Coordinates of all heavy atoms in Angstrom, one line a residue:
R204 N -21.8 -20.3 29.7 CA -22.6 -20.7 31.0 C -22.1 -21.8 31.6 O -22.0 -22.0 32.9 CB -23.9 -20.8 30.5 CG -25.0 -20.4 31.4 CD -26.4 -20.5 30.7 NE -26.5 -19.5 29.8 CZ -27.0 -19.8 28.5 NH1 -27.2 -21.1 28.1 NH2 -27.3 -18.8 27.7
S205 N -21.4 -22.9 30.9 CA -21.1 -24.2 31.4 C -19.6 -24.4 31.5 O -19.2 -25.5 31.7 CB -21.7 -25.4 30.6 OG -23.1 -25.1 30.3
I206 N -18.9 -23.3 31.6 CA -17.4 -23.3 31.5 C -16.8 -24.0 32.8 O -15.8 -24.6 32.8 CB -16.8 -21.9 31.3 CG1 -15.4 -22.1 30.7 CG2 -16.8 -21.1 32.4 CD1 -15.2 -22.1 29.3
G207 N -17.8 -24.0 33.8 CA -17.2 -24.7 35.0 C -17.0 -26.2 34.7 O -16.3 -26.8 35.5
T208 N -17.7 -26.8 33.9 CA -17.5 -28.1 33.5 C -16.2 -28.4 33.0 O -15.5 -29.4 33.2 CB -18.5 -28.6 32.4 OG1 -19.8 -28.1 32.7 CG2 -18.6 -30.0 32.2
F209 N -15.5 -27.4 32.3 CA -14.2 -27.5 31.8 C -13.3 -27.3 33.0 O -12.3 -28.0 33.0 CB -14.1 -26.4 30.6 CG -14.9 -26.8 29.5 CD1 -16.3 -26.4 29.4 CD2 -14.2 -27.4 28.4 CE1 -17.0 -26.7 28.3 CE2 -15.1 -27.7 27.3 CZ -16.5 -27.4 27.2
V210 N -13.5 -26.3 33.8 CA -12.6 -26.0 35.0 C -12.5 -27.3 35.9 O -11.5 -27.5 36.4 CB -13.4 -24.9 35.8 CG1 -12.4 -24.6 37.0 CG2 -13.3 -23.5 34.9
A211 N -13.6 -28.0 36.0 CA -13.7 -29.2 36.8 C -12.8 -30.3 36.3 O -12.3 -31.3 37.0 CB -15.1 -29.8 36.8
T212 N -12.3 -30.2 35.1 CA -11.3 -31.2 34.5 C -9.9 -31.1 35.3 O -9.1 -32.0 35.3 CB -11.0 -31.0 33.1 OG1 -10.3 -29.7 32.9 CG2 -12.3 -31.2 32.2
G213 N -9.6 -29.8 35.9 CA -8.3 -29.8 36.6 C -7.4 -29.0 35.7 O -6.3 -28.5 36.2
F214 N -7.7 -29.1 34.3 CA -6.6 -28.2 33.5 C -7.1 -26.7 33.5 O -8.3 -26.5 33.6 CB -6.7 -28.7 32.1 CG -6.3 -30.1 31.8 CD1 -7.2 -31.2 31.7 CD2 -4.9 -30.5 32.0 CE1 -6.7 -32.5 31.5 CE2 -4.4 -31.7 31.8 CZ -5.3 -32.7 31.6
P215 N -6.2 -25.8 33.6 CA -6.5 -24.5 33.6 C -7.1 -24.1 32.3 O -6.9 -24.7 31.2 CB -5.1 -23.6 33.5 CG -4.1 -24.7 33.9 CD -4.6 -26.1 33.6
V216 N -8.2 -23.4 32.3 CA -9.0 -23.1 31.2 C -8.7 -21.6 30.6 O -8.7 -20.7 31.4 CB -10.6 -23.3 31.5 CG1 -11.4 -22.8 30.3 CG2 -11.0 -24.5 31.9
V217 N -8.5 -21.5 29.3 CA -8.4 -20.2 28.7 C -9.7 -19.9 27.9 O -10.3 -20.8 27.4 CB -7.2 -20.5 27.6 CG1 -7.1 -19.1 26.8 CG2 -5.9 -20.9 28.2
A218 N -10.1 -18.7 28.1 CA -11.3 -18.1 27.3 C -10.8 -16.9 26.4 O -10.3 -16.0 26.9 CB -12.3 -17.7 28.2
G219 N -11.1 -17.1 25.2 CA -10.9 -16.0 24.2 C -12.2 -15.4 23.7 O -12.8 -16.1 22.7
L220 N -12.9 -14.4 24.2 CA -14.0 -13.8 23.8 C -13.9 -12.5 23.2 O -14.8 -11.9 22.6 CB -15.1 -13.9 24.9 CG -15.5 -15.2 25.3 CD1 -15.7 -15.3 26.8 CD2 -16.9 -15.5 24.7
S221 N -12.7 -11.9 23.5 CA -12.4 -10.5 23.2 C -12.9 -10.0 21.8 O -12.3 -10.7 20.8 CB -10.9 -10.2 23.2 OG -10.6 -8.9 23.2
R222 N -13.8 -9.1 21.7 CA -14.3 -8.4 20.4 C -14.9 -9.4 19.4 O -15.1 -9.0 18.3 CB -13.1 -7.7 19.8 CG -12.5 -6.6 20.7 CD -11.5 -5.7 19.8 NE -10.7 -5.0 20.6 CZ -9.7 -4.2 20.2 NH1 -9.3 -4.2 19.0 NH2 -8.9 -3.4 21.1
K223 N -15.3 -10.6 19.8 CA -15.7 -11.6 19.0 C -17.1 -11.3 18.4 O -17.9 -10.6 19.0 CB -15.5 -13.1 19.4 CG -14.1 -13.4 19.4 CD -13.9 -14.8 19.6 CE -12.4 -15.3 19.5 NZ -12.1 -16.5 20.1
S224 N -17.5 -11.9 17.3 CA -18.7 -11.6 16.6 C -19.9 -11.9 17.4 O -21.0 -11.2 17.4 CB -18.7 -12.3 15.3 OG -18.9 -13.6 15.4
S225 N -19.9 -12.9 18.4 CA -20.9 -13.2 19.3 C -21.3 -11.9 20.1 O -22.5 -11.6 20.3 CB -20.6 -14.3 20.3 OG -20.5 -15.5 19.7
L226 N -20.2 -11.2 20.5 CA -20.5 -10.0 21.3 C -21.2 -8.9 20.5 O -21.9 -8.2 20.8 CB -19.3 -9.6 21.9 CG -18.4 -10.6 22.8 CD1 -17.2 -9.9 23.4 CD2 -19.3 -11.2 24.0
G227 N -20.7 -8.9 19.2 CA -21.3 -7.9 18.3 C -22.8 -8.4 18.0 O -23.7 -7.4 18.0
A228 N -23.1 -9.6 17.9 CA -24.5 -10.1 17.7 C -25.4 -9.7 18.9 O -26.6 -9.4 18.7 CB -24.6 -11.6 17.6
I229 N -24.8 -9.7 20.1 CA -25.6 -9.4 21.3 C -25.8 -7.9 21.5 O -26.9 -7.6 21.8 CB -24.9 -10.0 22.6 CG1 -24.8 -11.5 22.6 CG2 -25.5 -9.5 23.8 CD1 -23.9 -12.1 23.6
T230 N -24.7 -7.2 21.2 CA -24.8 -5.8 21.5 C -25.2 -4.8 20.2 O -25.5 -3.6 20.4 CB -23.5 -5.1 22.0 OG1 -22.4 -5.5 21.0 CG2 -23.1 -5.9 23.2
G231 N -24.9 -5.4 19.1 CA -25.1 -4.7 17.8 C -23.9 -3.7 17.6 O -24.1 -2.9 16.8

Side-chain angles (χ1 to χ4, degrees):
R204 210 173 290 123
S205 308
I206 199 100
T208 312
F209 294 81
V210 174
T212 63
F214 294 106
V216 175
V217 178
L220 288 141
S221 182
R222 300 187 191 171
K223 284 192 175 168
S224 62
S225 288
L226 305 182
I229 295 167
T230 60

